Amino acid sequence: MTQHDPALLSAALAGAEQALNQAIALAPHSHQELDSVSGTLLGIEITTLDLNVYIEMVAGTEVRLLAHCERETDAFVRGTLEDFAALATTDDPAATLINSDIALEGSSASLITLQQVIAGMEIDWEAPLVELLGDVAGHQIAEGLRRFFRWGEGARASLKRQVSEYLLEEGRLTPPKAELEHFYDAVQSVAMRVERAQSQVEKLLAKAAARQTPQ
Amino acid sequence: MNDEATSNADRDDDTTDFGFTRVDREAKAGMVRGVFDSVASRYDLMNDLMSGGVHRLWKRYTIELSAARPGQTILDIAGGTGDLAARFSRLVGPEGQVILADINAAMLEVGRDRLIDKGATGNVEVVQADAQALPFKDNSVDCITIAFGLRNVTDKALAFRSMLRVLRPGGRLLVLEFSKPTSAVLGKVYDQYSFQILPAMGRLIAQDADSYRYLAESIRKHPDQETLLGMMEDAGFGECRYHNMTGGIVALHQGFKP
């Protein structure tokens, strides 16, 4: 009677929930921030997949992912998979939420707080590694991982900047953002003028038709 | 409708199904007890074997559909080793109550030990009870679950009436049980697995092929999705529906007390 096999969805959610809770357990700095949204229930409808998922913040260190929930949500968002991927990875969730086609019911504050906490989560790899490999080896590997992630983050930012500069300045393949916005404004202005002209023409045609009608 | 429609345990004679064998109605409970006495200590392993571990996902969805919330009273019939009860215990909180009921003392003993190990003690009561004659007050429970237990009940109609009596108006019944695969191909593969592989695994791992063969046979004799839905409606449940899971190998039926 349901379109999706609940067992498949439960499998996906159970895996994601476990990964998320393990990540939270390894990010003690985020516990206090997560505690501030404790008890919050968010509903997500991914229209492209015809899928509903609920995120329940149980306590500062636990998140539940549900396929079915009858409690009233604090916030409910509806959008395509692409919209949600953009929201999850953006640096400015509020702007992305406003500019995307995502429909939001309820409080956006809890959604934005949760996105910021997850995006800013700093996972401490050292604790489980030390437990597994001992103090010296665990610390060395964790330090190596931290350096690798810092380098990866720097490399990603640098690559993004350089690609952007190349496309704009060297290749002239894409227009600058300001130029693009100006173009969009101009298109919008032309569209409005055409609409007004069309309305005037229709009015004139109606008048002419009225005059030609025999009394 | 499967052959259960004609060989249903609730038909008007003195015999009933015990797997593919017809036995005296009075004798079935004792024979089922024998099976579960034999497998009680390895029940979770058996479920993992029978379902490939997927029974955890089926139960997870059952808990979600229960909509259990703090302060509620949940009755888990045929609760076996208490895995549903342990999760309900957290959801209803200290102000709520979970009743783990099973007709089989050996299963309850394992369940009680597991619950203590998991720390689910303050709000859980363990009761040896027959689903056909539940020893609880009328209108006293918010939700009843019975997971992989209904097919072992001799008189399912009587059990449904008993559950309806105990539920509060608006309360819900959730029946999680093996059912009929929706695809013929899956059905054939599943038959091969149930009657060839499963008893062999039972022999190899638990040295108990007969109990595993009974479990496979009892699944085939259990009513299919639509028949069970009709039985719930006949008993007086409202808004009845079901969710097929894993291609109909398992179905989760839901009904409410009007």
Side-chain angles (χ1 to χ4, degrees), chain A residues 59-73:
Chain A
T61 54
E62 193 182 347
V63 174
R64 285 179 74 206
L65 300 182
L66 310 165
H68 176 92
C69 188
E70 294 175 14
R71 233 182 78 197
E72 197 181 335
T73 54

Side-chain angles (χ1 to χ4, degrees), chain A residues 1-2 4-8 10-14 17 56 58 62 64-70, chain B residues 54 57-58 60-61 63-65 67 90-91 172 226 229 241-248 254:
Chain A
M1 285 193 177
T2 45
H4 298 280
D5 191 320
L8 286 178
S10 287
L13 293 180
E17 182 183 283
E56 186 182 21
V58 182
E62 193 182 347
R64 285 179 74 206
L65 300 182
L66 310 165
H68 176 92
C69 188
E70 294 175 14
Chain B
V54 186
L57 302 173
W58 298 329
R60 180 187 164 101
Y61 190 66
I63 286 169
E64 287 181 16
L65 220 63
R90 288 187 66 194
L91 291 173
R172 82 178 76 197
E226 289 296 330
L229 193 75
R241 58 185 302 202
Y242 64 86
H243 302 267
N244 278 324
M245 294 198 268
T246 319
Q254 178 179 237

Side-chain angles (χ1 to χ4, degrees), chain B residues 143-202:
Chain B
C143 177
I144 295 178
T145 55
I146 176 163
F148 306 113
L150 189 69
R151 69 178 189 280
N152 299 312
V153 174
T154 307
D155 191 337
K156 294 172 185 63
L158 185 61
F160 278 142
R161 288 199 295 276
S162 181
M163 292 174 201
L164 192 71
R165 178 186 63 76
V166 167
L167 272 176
R168 288 196 177 114
R172 82 178 76 197
L173 166 68
L174 291 167
V175 181
L176 179 66
E177 191 52 271
F178 288 103
S179 203
K180 190 178 178 187
T182 48
S183 137
V185 177
L186 180 63
K188 284 198 184 348
V189 174
Y190 184 49
D191 273 348
Q192 285 297 311
Y193 169 75
S194 301
F195 293 107
Q196 305 299 328
I197 300 171
L198 193 62
M201 280 198 295

Side-chain angles (χ1 to χ4, degrees), chain B:
Chain B
M1 190 178 288
N2 68 3
D3 55 357
E4 174 66 17
T6 53
S7 64
N8 195 309
D10 303 319
R11 73 187 192 182
D12 296 332
D13 66 25
D14 290 335
T15 63
T16 187
D17 297 312
F18 178 75
F20 288 163
T21 316
R22 297 293 294 177
V23 298
D24 194 76
R25 288 174 80 87
E26 302 296 320
K28 176 168 174 172
M31 294 169 83
V32 170
R33 190 182 308 126
V35 170
F36 283 90
D37 279 347
S38 158
V39 300
S41 60
R42 298 179 296 270
Y43 186 70
D44 286 343
L45 173 69
M46 185 190 74
N47 277 342
D48 279 329
L49 280 175
M50 287 180 72
S51 69
V54 186
H55 73 101
R56 294 169 198 278
L57 302 173
W58 298 329
K59 287 173 182 169
R60 180 187 164 101
Y61 190 66
T62 305
I63 286 169
E64 287 181 16
L65 220 63
S66 75
R69 56 178 191 272
Q72 285 194 326
T73 302
I74 313 279
L75 169 60
D76 182 27
I77 301 174
T81 50
D83 46 358
L84 281 182
R87 277 181 267 183
F88 280 132
S89 166
R90 288 187 66 194
L91 291 173
V92 300
E95 64 270 42
Q97 194 187 19
V98 179
I99 305 162
L100 170 64
D102 203 301
I103 197 169
N104 189 288
M107 293 292 289
L108 274 181
E109 205 173 315
V110 176
R112 184 166 34 209
D113 290 349
R114 295 254 170 96
L115 286 169
I116 291 168
D117 290 347
K118 287 176 183 173
T121 50
N123 60 357
V124 182
E125 196 181 341
V126 179
V127 177
Q128 186 170 6
D130 183 346
Q132 299 167 126
L134 292 167
F136 306 108
K137 284 184 191 164
D138 296 3
N139 309 316
S140 59
V141 166
D142 296 292
C143 177
I144 295 178
T145 55
I146 176 163
F148 306 113
L150 189 69
R151 69 178 189 280
N152 299 312
V153 174
T154 307
D155 191 337
K156 294 172 185 63
L158 185 61
F160 278 142
R161 288 199 295 276
S162 181
M163 292 174 201
L164 192 71
R165 178 186 63 76
V166 167
L167 272 176
R168 288 196 177 114
R172 82 178 76 197
L173 166 68
L174 291 167
V175 181
L176 179 66
E177 191 52 271
F178 288 103
S179 203
K180 190 178 178 187
T182 48
S183 137
V185 177
L186 180 63
K188 284 198 184 348
V189 174
Y190 184 49
D191 273 348
Q192 285 297 311
Y193 169 75
S194 301
F195 293 107
Q196 305 299 328
I197 300 171
L198 193 62
M201 280 198 295
R203 190 164 43 241
L204 198 71
I205 295 166
Q207 289 81 48
D208 189 2
D210 289 345
S211 294
Y212 286 76
R213 186 170 297 108
Y214 160 72
L215 291 166
E217 289 176 4
S218 66
I219 290 166
R220 293 306 179 279
K221 300 304 286 185
H222 186 68
D224 66 10
Q225 290 89 332
E226 289 296 330
T227 309
L228 192 64
L229 193 75
M231 289 172 73
M232 286 173 68
E233 285 167 345
D234 289 346
F237 285 95
E239 294 177 53
C240 297
R241 58 185 302 202
Y242 64 86
H243 302 267
N244 278 324
M245 294 198 268
T246 319
I249 287 176
V250 156
L252 177 59
H253 283 72
Q254 178 179 237
F256 292 85
K257 180 169 180 174

